[in-house]
Amino acid sequence: MNKEKAVVVFSGGQDSTTCLFWAQQRFDEVIAVTFDYGQRHRLELECATEIANELNIPHHTLDMSLLNQLAPNALTRQDIEITEKDGEPPSTFVEGRNLLFLSFAAVLAKQYDARHLVTGVCETDFSGYPDCRDVFIKSLNVTLNLSMDYSFVIHTPLMWLDKAETWELADDLGAFDYVRERTLTCYNGIKGSGCGDCPACKLRQNGLSKYLAKKEAGTK
């Protein structure tokens, strides 16, 4: 157990909840921060609050509605269809989201004298989002340290895991059933297994099916 403090960027979804359990096992104190940016799946805000309360984790919800004004997309506009095109990020990509989220999380972390930031970004199953790449995280880590003259470390426990391996990590953390039943990943705001049709649900279910098949085969 690391006696230092960590701030987890937390949406209440599969990835960030897995990261929350990961952080709880590694740091003496964990704080969760959620961002309200006018997302269409607003139930994730309630879900994040519920999970933080259940796990007895201090939780902040920050108003990032300006992002909604600047970056219209399928996650912030009901009238924009969720689409995917080869060679392009899906219409759910929110420009600058992780840049802003991690920057504000760092400001909050410094108020707590916390030096560790945890985020569930992943380059393996990243849907083409450029701000989920390892090179971006490493670059931002340097920038944050320079901008505040403070030694942050950004942890990305899921960076090189596919969705099946993320389920496996949740299982190893003793949180498999909790993550499966209590989290909200669906773009249409349906908890657990979700709608089954949106890109987030398909990615989640494909990973779950792959992991369960591996587990049943005894190859885990």
Side-chain angles (χ1 to χ4, degrees), residues 171-216:
D171 207 359
D172 291 343
L173 293 167
F176 179 81
D177 289 335
Y178 190 94
V179 170
R180 186 174 182 178
E181 296 166 7
R182 303 287 294 139
T183 62
L184 194 160
T185 303
C186 176
Y187 290 151
N188 291 311
I190 301 173
K191 193 182 290 187
S193 57
C195 70
D197 292 323
C198 73
C201 283
K202 290 177 181 177
L203 191 61
R204 173 176 167 137
Q205 184 56 49
N206 287 342
L208 177 60
S209 298
K210 182 179 176 182
Y211 172 61
L212 290 176
K214 177 182 177 182
K215 191 175 182 179
E216 289 170 7

mmCIF file of all heavy atoms in Angstrom, residues 171-216:
data_model
loop_
_atom_site.group_PDB
_atom_site.id
_atom_site.type_symbol
_atom_site.label_atom_id
_atom_site.label_comp_id
_atom_site.label_asym_id
_atom_site.label_seq_id
_atom_site.Cartn_x
_atom_site.Cartn_y
_atom_site.Cartn_z
ATOM 1 N N ASP A 171 -11.686 -8.817 -12.198
ATOM 2 C CA ASP A 171 -11.838 -10.095 -11.500
ATOM 3 C C ASP A 171 -10.704 -10.294 -10.503
ATOM 4 O O ASP A 171 -10.921 -10.690 -9.343
ATOM 5 C CB ASP A 171 -11.881 -11.238 -12.514
ATOM 6 C CG ASP A 171 -12.656 -12.457 -12.010
ATOM 7 O OD1 ASP A 171 -13.145 -12.427 -10.863
ATOM 8 O OD2 ASP A 171 -12.782 -13.419 -12.775
ATOM 9 N N ASP A 172 -9.489 -10.004 -10.929
ATOM 10 C CA ASP A 172 -8.325 -10.151 -10.050
ATOM 11 C C ASP A 172 -8.419 -9.215 -8.843
ATOM 12 O O ASP A 172 -7.892 -9.523 -7.765
ATOM 13 C CB ASP A 172 -7.034 -9.861 -10.824
ATOM 14 C CG ASP A 172 -6.703 -10.924 -11.859
ATOM 15 O OD1 ASP A 172 -7.270 -12.038 -11.762
ATOM 16 O OD2 ASP A 172 -5.917 -10.638 -12.772
ATOM 17 N N LEU A 173 -9.086 -8.079 -9.026
ATOM 18 C CA LEU A 173 -9.256 -7.107 -7.945
ATOM 19 C C LEU A 173 -10.435 -7.448 -7.036
ATOM 20 O O LEU A 173 -10.710 -6.725 -6.072
ATOM 21 C CB LEU A 173 -9.459 -5.706 -8.530
ATOM 22 C CG LEU A 173 -8.265 -5.086 -9.266
ATOM 23 C CD1 LEU A 173 -8.704 -3.852 -10.047
ATOM 24 C CD2 LEU A 173 -7.150 -4.728 -8.277
ATOM 25 N N GLY A 174 -11.143 -8.542 -7.366
ATOM 26 C CA GLY A 174 -12.305 -8.933 -6.587
ATOM 27 C C GLY A 174 -13.524 -8.071 -6.857
ATOM 28 O O GLY A 174 -14.432 -7.995 -6.016
ATOM 29 N N ALA A 175 -13.559 -7.448 -8.032
ATOM 30 C CA ALA A 175 -14.625 -6.485 -8.326
ATOM 31 C C ALA A 175 -15.421 -6.850 -9.573
ATOM 32 O O ALA A 175 -16.177 -6.027 -10.095
ATOM 33 C CB ALA A 175 -14.015 -5.098 -8.499
ATOM 34 N N PHE A 176 -15.282 -8.076 -10.062
ATOM 35 C CA PHE A 176 -15.904 -8.455 -11.330
ATOM 36 C C PHE A 176 -17.422 -8.254 -11.322
ATOM 37 O O PHE A 176 -17.979 -7.586 -12.197
ATOM 38 C CB PHE A 176 -15.573 -9.907 -11.672
ATOM 39 C CG PHE A 176 -16.194 -10.404 -12.947
ATOM 40 C CD1 PHE A 176 -15.619 -10.109 -14.170
ATOM 41 C CD2 PHE A 176 -17.361 -11.151 -12.921
ATOM 42 C CE1 PHE A 176 -16.186 -10.559 -15.357
ATOM 43 C CE2 PHE A 176 -17.947 -11.602 -14.097
ATOM 44 C CZ PHE A 176 -17.358 -11.306 -15.315
ATOM 45 N N ASP A 177 -18.101 -8.840 -10.354
ATOM 46 C CA ASP A 177 -19.564 -8.732 -10.306
ATOM 47 C C ASP A 177 -20.013 -7.298 -10.095
ATOM 48 O O ASP A 177 -21.001 -6.849 -10.683
ATOM 49 C CB ASP A 177 -20.132 -9.629 -9.199
ATOM 50 C CG ASP A 177 -20.024 -11.116 -9.528
ATOM 51 O OD1 ASP A 177 -19.976 -11.444 -10.733
ATOM 52 O OD2 ASP A 177 -19.986 -11.931 -8.591
ATOM 53 N N TYR A 178 -19.278 -6.584 -9.256
ATOM 54 C CA TYR A 178 -19.628 -5.183 -8.996
ATOM 55 C C TYR A 178 -19.541 -4.363 -10.287
ATOM 56 O O TYR A 178 -20.455 -3.613 -10.638
ATOM 57 C CB TYR A 178 -18.702 -4.595 -7.933
ATOM 58 C CG TYR A 178 -19.156 -3.244 -7.433
ATOM 59 C CD1 TYR A 178 -19.941 -3.134 -6.293
ATOM 60 C CD2 TYR A 178 -18.818 -2.075 -8.115
ATOM 61 C CE1 TYR A 178 -20.377 -1.901 -5.834
ATOM 62 C CE2 TYR A 178 -19.249 -0.841 -7.665
ATOM 63 C CZ TYR A 178 -20.029 -0.750 -6.528
ATOM 64 O OH TYR A 178 -20.462 0.477 -6.092
ATOM 65 N N VAL A 179 -18.430 -4.510 -10.998
ATOM 66 C CA VAL A 179 -18.244 -3.757 -12.240
ATOM 67 C C VAL A 179 -19.292 -4.165 -13.272
ATOM 68 O O VAL A 179 -19.848 -3.319 -13.984
ATOM 69 C CB VAL A 179 -16.814 -3.966 -12.796
ATOM 70 C CG1 VAL A 179 -16.684 -3.383 -14.198
ATOM 71 C CG2 VAL A 179 -15.785 -3.337 -11.857
ATOM 72 N N ARG A 180 -19.588 -5.434 -13.342
ATOM 73 C CA ARG A 180 -20.546 -5.933 -14.333
ATOM 74 C C ARG A 180 -21.961 -5.403 -14.086
ATOM 75 O O ARG A 180 -22.684 -5.076 -15.020
ATOM 76 C CB ARG A 180 -20.543 -7.457 -14.321
ATOM 77 C CG ARG A 180 -21.388 -8.093 -15.414
ATOM 78 C CD ARG A 180 -21.219 -9.603 -15.435
ATOM 79 N NE ARG A 180 -21.984 -10.204 -16.519
ATOM 80 C CZ ARG A 180 -21.988 -11.512 -16.788
ATOM 81 N NH1 ARG A 180 -21.260 -12.344 -16.059
ATOM 82 N NH2 ARG A 180 -22.706 -11.985 -17.793
ATOM 83 N N GLU A 181 -22.346 -5.305 -12.830
ATOM 84 C CA GLU A 181 -23.729 -4.967 -12.493
ATOM 85 C C GLU A 181 -23.946 -3.486 -12.177
ATOM 86 O O GLU A 181 -25.026 -2.952 -12.444
ATOM 87 C CB GLU A 181 -24.172 -5.806 -11.283
ATOM 88 C CG GLU A 181 -24.193 -7.304 -11.564
ATOM 89 C CD GLU A 181 -24.303 -8.129 -10.294
ATOM 90 O OE1 GLU A 181 -24.488 -7.526 -9.209
ATOM 91 O OE2 GLU A 181 -24.193 -9.370 -10.390
ATOM 92 N N ARG A 182 -22.939 -2.802 -11.628
ATOM 93 C CA ARG A 182 -23.169 -1.477 -11.062
ATOM 94 C C ARG A 182 -22.685 -0.330 -11.939
ATOM 95 O O ARG A 182 -23.018 0.827 -11.679
ATOM 96 C CB ARG A 182 -22.480 -1.365 -9.688
ATOM 97 C CG ARG A 182 -22.920 -2.414 -8.676
ATOM 98 C CD ARG A 182 -24.324 -2.143 -8.165
ATOM 99 N NE ARG A 182 -24.353 -0.914 -7.384
ATOM 100 C CZ ARG A 182 -25.314 -0.018 -7.445
ATOM 101 N NH1 ARG A 182 -26.325 -0.193 -8.277
ATOM 102 N NH2 ARG A 182 -25.278 1.066 -6.690
ATOM 103 N N THR A 183 -21.891 -0.618 -12.963
ATOM 104 C CA THR A 183 -21.313 0.467 -13.759
ATOM 105 C C THR A 183 -22.184 0.811 -14.965
ATOM 106 O O THR A 183 -23.035 0.032 -15.389
ATOM 107 C CB THR A 183 -19.896 0.099 -14.241
ATOM 108 O OG1 THR A 183 -19.965 -1.068 -15.081
ATOM 109 C CG2 THR A 183 -18.988 -0.195 -13.055
ATOM 110 N N LEU A 184 -21.926 1.991 -15.506
ATOM 111 C CA LEU A 184 -22.680 2.458 -16.675
ATOM 112 C C LEU A 184 -21.697 2.873 -17.766
ATOM 113 O O LEU A 184 -20.981 3.863 -17.626
ATOM 114 C CB LEU A 184 -23.581 3.639 -16.280
ATOM 115 C CG LEU A 184 -24.678 4.030 -17.277
ATOM 116 C CD1 LEU A 184 -25.766 4.846 -16.572
ATOM 117 C CD2 LEU A 184 -24.141 4.846 -18.451
ATOM 118 N N THR A 185 -21.676 2.090 -18.829
ATOM 119 C CA THR A 185 -20.802 2.358 -19.972
ATOM 120 C C THR A 185 -21.597 2.818 -21.191
ATOM 121 O O THR A 185 -21.090 3.532 -22.049
ATOM 122 C CB THR A 185 -20.004 1.083 -20.333
ATOM 123 O OG1 THR A 185 -19.260 0.650 -19.189
ATOM 124 C CG2 THR A 185 -19.039 1.334 -21.485
ATOM 125 N N CYS A 186 -22.851 2.426 -21.236
ATOM 126 C CA CYS A 186 -23.721 2.631 -22.401
ATOM 127 C C CYS A 186 -23.936 4.105 -22.734
ATOM 128 O O CYS A 186 -24.253 4.915 -21.860
ATOM 129 C CB CYS A 186 -25.075 1.960 -22.108
ATOM 130 S SG CYS A 186 -26.330 2.197 -23.376
ATOM 131 N N TYR A 187 -23.784 4.457 -24.027
ATOM 132 C CA TYR A 187 -24.029 5.833 -24.474
ATOM 133 C C TYR A 187 -25.496 6.221 -24.349
ATOM 134 O O TYR A 187 -25.831 7.411 -24.351
ATOM 135 C CB TYR A 187 -23.581 5.999 -25.931
ATOM 136 C CG TYR A 187 -22.091 5.958 -26.140
ATOM 137 C CD1 TYR A 187 -21.555 5.505 -27.346
ATOM 138 C CD2 TYR A 187 -21.206 6.374 -25.150
ATOM 139 C CE1 TYR A 187 -20.181 5.466 -27.556
ATOM 140 C CE2 TYR A 187 -19.835 6.338 -25.355
ATOM 141 C CZ TYR A 187 -19.334 5.887 -26.556
ATOM 142 O OH TYR A 187 -17.975 5.856 -26.758
ATOM 143 N N ASN A 188 -26.370 5.247 -24.233
ATOM 144 C CA ASN A 188 -27.803 5.524 -24.081
ATOM 145 C C ASN A 188 -28.265 5.493 -22.623
ATOM 146 O O ASN A 188 -29.462 5.530 -22.341
ATOM 147 C CB ASN A 188 -28.619 4.540 -24.923
ATOM 148 C CG ASN A 188 -28.432 4.781 -26.419
ATOM 149 O OD1 ASN A 188 -28.537 5.909 -26.887
ATOM 150 N ND2 ASN A 188 -28.125 3.731 -27.163
ATOM 151 N N GLY A 189 -27.292 5.405 -21.704
ATOM 152 C CA GLY A 189 -27.595 5.563 -20.298
ATOM 153 C C GLY A 189 -28.232 4.379 -19.605
ATOM 154 O O GLY A 189 -28.975 4.556 -18.642
ATOM 155 N N ILE A 190 -27.929 3.157 -20.064
ATOM 156 C CA ILE A 190 -28.496 1.957 -19.439
ATOM 157 C C ILE A 190 -27.399 1.241 -18.664
ATOM 158 O O ILE A 190 -26.369 0.862 -19.217
ATOM 159 C CB ILE A 190 -29.106 1.016 -20.505
ATOM 160 C CG1 ILE A 190 -30.200 1.751 -21.290
ATOM 161 C CG2 ILE A 190 -29.666 -0.242 -19.854
ATOM 162 C CD1 ILE A 190 -30.735 0.968 -22.464
ATOM 163 N N LYS A 191 -27.627 1.059 -17.364
ATOM 164 C CA LYS A 191 -26.622 0.479 -16.481
ATOM 165 C C LYS A 191 -26.420 -1.014 -16.779
ATOM 166 O O LYS A 191 -27.270 -1.668 -17.365
ATOM 167 C CB LYS A 191 -27.065 0.673 -15.024
ATOM 168 C CG LYS A 191 -25.992 0.395 -13.985
ATOM 169 C CD LYS A 191 -26.516 0.572 -12.577
ATOM 170 C CE LYS A 191 -26.793 2.021 -12.261
ATOM 171 N NZ LYS A 191 -27.144 2.206 -10.821
ATOM 172 N N GLY A 192 -25.259 -1.523 -16.360
ATOM 173 C CA GLY A 192 -24.969 -2.947 -16.525
ATOM 174 C C GLY A 192 -24.651 -3.304 -17.962
ATOM 175 O O GLY A 192 -23.784 -2.696 -18.580
ATOM 176 N N SER A 193 -25.376 -4.265 -18.506
ATOM 177 C CA SER A 193 -25.085 -4.734 -19.871
ATOM 178 C C SER A 193 -25.461 -3.722 -20.939
ATOM 179 O O SER A 193 -25.075 -3.860 -22.106
ATOM 180 C CB SER A 193 -25.799 -6.064 -20.138
ATOM 181 O OG SER A 193 -27.196 -5.929 -19.932
ATOM 182 N N GLY A 194 -26.244 -2.685 -20.576
ATOM 183 C CA GLY A 194 -26.520 -1.587 -21.496
ATOM 184 C C GLY A 194 -27.521 -1.903 -22.584
ATOM 185 O O GLY A 194 -28.261 -2.889 -22.514
ATOM 186 N N CYS A 195 -27.511 -1.080 -23.633
ATOM 187 C CA CYS A 195 -28.478 -1.237 -24.723
ATOM 188 C C CYS A 195 -28.074 -2.352 -25.680
ATOM 189 O O CYS A 195 -28.903 -2.901 -26.400
ATOM 190 C CB CYS A 195 -28.623 0.078 -25.487
ATOM 191 S SG CYS A 195 -27.173 0.546 -26.473
ATOM 192 N N GLY A 196 -26.791 -2.650 -25.728
ATOM 193 C CA GLY A 196 -26.299 -3.705 -26.605
ATOM 194 C C GLY A 196 -26.029 -3.268 -28.025
ATOM 195 O O GLY A 196 -25.475 -4.036 -28.814
ATOM 196 N N ASP A 197 -26.392 -2.030 -28.369
ATOM 197 C CA ASP A 197 -26.267 -1.573 -29.756
ATOM 198 C C ASP A 197 -25.223 -0.488 -29.970
ATOM 199 O O ASP A 197 -24.638 -0.391 -31.049
ATOM 200 C CB ASP A 197 -27.619 -1.059 -30.259
ATOM 201 C CG ASP A 197 -28.646 -2.173 -30.398
ATOM 202 O OD1 ASP A 197 -28.255 -3.289 -30.796
ATOM 203 O OD2 ASP A 197 -29.827 -1.933 -30.098
ATOM 204 N N CYS A 198 -24.993 0.365 -28.982
ATOM 205 C CA CYS A 198 -24.056 1.477 -29.173
ATOM 206 C C CYS A 198 -22.616 0.946 -29.174
ATOM 207 O O CYS A 198 -22.355 -0.158 -28.689
ATOM 208 C CB CYS A 198 -24.253 2.544 -28.098
ATOM 209 S SG CYS A 198 -23.642 2.092 -26.455
ATOM 210 N N PRO A 199 -21.659 1.711 -29.712
ATOM 211 C CA PRO A 199 -20.266 1.234 -29.782
ATOM 212 C C PRO A 199 -19.691 0.855 -28.424
ATOM 213 O O PRO A 199 -18.951 -0.132 -28.319
ATOM 214 C CB PRO A 199 -19.531 2.434 -30.387
ATOM 215 C CG PRO A 199 -20.558 3.161 -31.186
ATOM 216 C CD PRO A 199 -21.837 3.001 -30.424
ATOM 217 N N ALA A 200 -20.037 1.606 -27.379
ATOM 218 C CA ALA A 200 -19.500 1.314 -26.048
ATOM 219 C C ALA A 200 -20.009 -0.024 -25.537
ATOM 220 O O ALA A 200 -19.253 -0.812 -24.950
ATOM 221 C CB ALA A 200 -19.872 2.435 -25.075
ATOM 222 N N CYS A 201 -21.280 -0.302 -25.763
ATOM 223 C CA CYS A 201 -21.860 -1.583 -25.321
ATOM 224 C C CYS A 201 -21.262 -2.758 -26.085
ATOM 225 O O CYS A 201 -20.974 -3.812 -25.503
ATOM 226 C CB CYS A 201 -23.378 -1.564 -25.496
ATOM 227 S SG CYS A 201 -24.252 -0.622 -24.231
ATOM 228 N N LYS A 202 -21.080 -2.583 -27.375
ATOM 229 C CA LYS A 202 -20.518 -3.672 -28.185
ATOM 230 C C LYS A 202 -19.094 -3.993 -27.751
ATOM 231 O O LYS A 202 -18.719 -5.163 -27.634
ATOM 232 C CB LYS A 202 -20.554 -3.280 -29.666
ATOM 233 C CG LYS A 202 -21.966 -3.241 -30.260
ATOM 234 C CD LYS A 202 -21.940 -2.783 -31.710
ATOM 235 C CE LYS A 202 -23.347 -2.728 -32.292
ATOM 236 N NZ LYS A 202 -23.343 -2.219 -33.692
ATOM 237 N N LEU A 203 -18.304 -2.951 -27.488
ATOM 238 C CA LEU A 203 -16.924 -3.148 -27.051
ATOM 239 C C LEU A 203 -16.888 -3.856 -25.699
ATOM 240 O O LEU A 203 -16.124 -4.803 -25.490
ATOM 241 C CB LEU A 203 -16.216 -1.790 -26.967
ATOM 242 C CG LEU A 203 -14.706 -1.779 -26.783
ATOM 243 C CD1 LEU A 203 -14.008 -2.467 -27.950
ATOM 244 C CD2 LEU A 203 -14.205 -0.343 -26.647
ATOM 245 N N ARG A 204 -17.752 -3.395 -24.808
ATOM 246 C CA ARG A 204 -17.823 -3.991 -23.461
ATOM 247 C C ARG A 204 -18.254 -5.464 -23.525
ATOM 248 O O ARG A 204 -17.635 -6.325 -22.907
ATOM 249 C CB ARG A 204 -18.799 -3.179 -22.608
ATOM 250 C CG ARG A 204 -19.097 -3.768 -21.236
ATOM 251 C CD ARG A 204 -20.004 -2.842 -20.442
ATOM 252 N NE ARG A 204 -20.556 -3.488 -19.258
ATOM 253 C CZ ARG A 204 -20.643 -2.916 -18.072
ATOM 254 N NH1 ARG A 204 -20.213 -1.684 -17.893
ATOM 255 N NH2 ARG A 204 -21.179 -3.563 -17.049
ATOM 256 N N GLN A 205 -19.315 -5.751 -24.291
ATOM 257 C CA GLN A 205 -19.843 -7.114 -24.359
ATOM 258 C C GLN A 205 -18.884 -8.059 -25.059
ATOM 259 O O GLN A 205 -18.718 -9.212 -24.646
ATOM 260 C CB GLN A 205 -21.196 -7.124 -25.062
ATOM 261 C CG GLN A 205 -21.878 -8.498 -25.088
ATOM 262 C CD GLN A 205 -22.060 -9.097 -23.700
ATOM 263 O OE1 GLN A 205 -22.547 -8.422 -22.792
ATOM 264 N NE2 GLN A 205 -21.676 -10.358 -23.517
ATOM 265 N N ASN A 206 -18.231 -7.592 -26.121
ATOM 266 C CA ASN A 206 -17.264 -8.439 -26.817
ATOM 267 C C ASN A 206 -16.122 -8.830 -25.883
ATOM 268 O O ASN A 206 -15.669 -9.983 -25.877
ATOM 269 C CB ASN A 206 -16.715 -7.721 -28.048
ATOM 270 C CG ASN A 206 -17.730 -7.632 -29.176
ATOM 271 O OD1 ASN A 206 -18.717 -8.365 -29.193
ATOM 272 N ND2 ASN A 206 -17.505 -6.720 -30.113
ATOM 273 N N GLY A 207 -15.664 -7.852 -25.097
ATOM 274 C CA GLY A 207 -14.590 -8.130 -24.148
ATOM 275 C C GLY A 207 -15.034 -9.100 -23.062
ATOM 276 O O GLY A 207 -14.285 -10.005 -22.676
ATOM 277 N N LEU A 208 -16.263 -8.913 -22.586
ATOM 278 C CA LEU A 208 -16.799 -9.795 -21.546
ATOM 279 C C LEU A 208 -16.929 -11.228 -22.054
ATOM 280 O O LEU A 208 -16.526 -12.179 -21.375
ATOM 281 C CB LEU A 208 -18.153 -9.277 -21.070
ATOM 282 C CG LEU A 208 -18.883 -10.120 -20.020
ATOM 283 C CD1 LEU A 208 -18.047 -10.249 -18.754
ATOM 284 C CD2 LEU A 208 -20.250 -9.513 -19.701
ATOM 285 N N SER A 209 -17.472 -11.374 -23.247
ATOM 286 C CA SER A 209 -17.645 -12.712 -23.831
ATOM 287 C C SER A 209 -16.293 -13.400 -24.010
ATOM 288 O O SER A 209 -16.144 -14.596 -23.717
ATOM 289 C CB SER A 209 -18.361 -12.613 -25.177
ATOM 290 O OG SER A 209 -19.659 -12.072 -25.015
ATOM 291 N N LYS A 210 -15.318 -12.649 -24.477
ATOM 292 C CA LYS A 210 -13.974 -13.198 -24.688
ATOM 293 C C LYS A 210 -13.357 -13.634 -23.364
ATOM 294 O O LYS A 210 -12.763 -14.722 -23.270
ATOM 295 C CB LYS A 210 -13.095 -12.143 -25.370
ATOM 296 C CG LYS A 210 -11.681 -12.608 -25.687
ATOM 297 C CD LYS A 210 -10.903 -11.496 -26.380
ATOM 298 C CE LYS A 210 -9.453 -11.904 -26.610
ATOM 299 N NZ LYS A 210 -8.685 -10.793 -27.254
ATOM 300 N N TYR A 211 -13.515 -12.815 -22.328
ATOM 301 C CA TYR A 211 -12.932 -13.161 -21.038
ATOM 302 C C TYR A 211 -13.629 -14.369 -20.408
ATOM 303 O O TYR A 211 -12.974 -15.272 -19.878
ATOM 304 C CB TYR A 211 -12.984 -11.974 -20.075
ATOM 305 C CG TYR A 211 -12.558 -12.369 -18.677
ATOM 306 C CD1 TYR A 211 -11.276 -12.855 -18.452
ATOM 307 C CD2 TYR A 211 -13.449 -12.319 -17.605
ATOM 308 C CE1 TYR A 211 -10.878 -13.265 -17.182
ATOM 309 C CE2 TYR A 211 -13.059 -12.727 -16.339
ATOM 310 C CZ TYR A 211 -11.768 -13.195 -16.136
ATOM 311 O OH TYR A 211 -11.386 -13.608 -14.888
ATOM 312 N N LEU A 212 -14.970 -14.402 -20.467
ATOM 313 C CA LEU A 212 -15.687 -15.520 -19.887
ATOM 314 C C LEU A 212 -15.350 -16.838 -20.588
ATOM 315 O O LEU A 212 -15.244 -17.884 -19.944
ATOM 316 C CB LEU A 212 -17.202 -15.259 -19.944
ATOM 317 C CG LEU A 212 -17.727 -14.160 -19.014
ATOM 318 C CD1 LEU A 212 -19.213 -13.930 -19.232
ATOM 319 C CD2 LEU A 212 -17.434 -14.489 -17.552
ATOM 320 N N ALA A 213 -15.169 -16.775 -21.906
ATOM 321 C CA ALA A 213 -14.781 -17.977 -22.651
ATOM 322 C C ALA A 213 -13.403 -18.455 -22.215
ATOM 323 O O ALA A 213 -13.160 -19.667 -22.041
ATOM 324 C CB ALA A 213 -14.789 -17.677 -24.143
ATOM 325 N N LYS A 214 -12.501 -17.516 -22.005
ATOM 326 C CA LYS A 214 -11.139 -17.848 -21.549
ATOM 327 C C LYS A 214 -11.185 -18.448 -20.146
ATOM 328 O O LYS A 214 -10.502 -19.429 -19.851
ATOM 329 C CB LYS A 214 -10.297 -16.568 -21.560
ATOM 330 C CG LYS A 214 -8.874 -16.743 -21.046
ATOM 331 C CD LYS A 214 -8.152 -15.411 -21.067
ATOM 332 C CE LYS A 214 -6.742 -15.539 -20.493
ATOM 333 N NZ LYS A 214 -6.040 -14.232 -20.453
ATOM 334 N N LYS A 215 -12.032 -17.868 -19.291
ATOM 335 C CA LYS A 215 -12.136 -18.348 -17.915
ATOM 336 C C LYS A 215 -12.724 -19.751 -17.858
ATOM 337 O O LYS A 215 -12.261 -20.622 -17.121
ATOM 338 C CB LYS A 215 -12.984 -17.353 -17.099
ATOM 339 C CG LYS A 215 -12.958 -17.598 -15.602
ATOM 340 C CD LYS A 215 -13.718 -16.484 -14.883
ATOM 341 C CE LYS A 215 -13.657 -16.707 -13.373
ATOM 342 N NZ LYS A 215 -14.370 -15.622 -12.643
ATOM 343 N N GLU A 216 -13.761 -19.968 -18.659
ATOM 344 C CA GLU A 216 -14.424 -21.280 -18.685
ATOM 345 C C GLU A 216 -13.495 -22.357 -19.266
ATOM 346 O O GLU A 216 -13.552 -23.511 -18.877
ATOM 347 C CB GLU A 216 -15.705 -21.201 -19.506
ATOM 348 C CG GLU A 216 -16.813 -20.397 -18.825
ATOM 349 C CD GLU A 216 -17.990 -20.126 -19.738
ATOM 350 O OE1 GLU A 216 -17.998 -20.671 -20.862
ATOM 351 O OE2 GLU A 216 -18.886 -19.385 -19.330
#
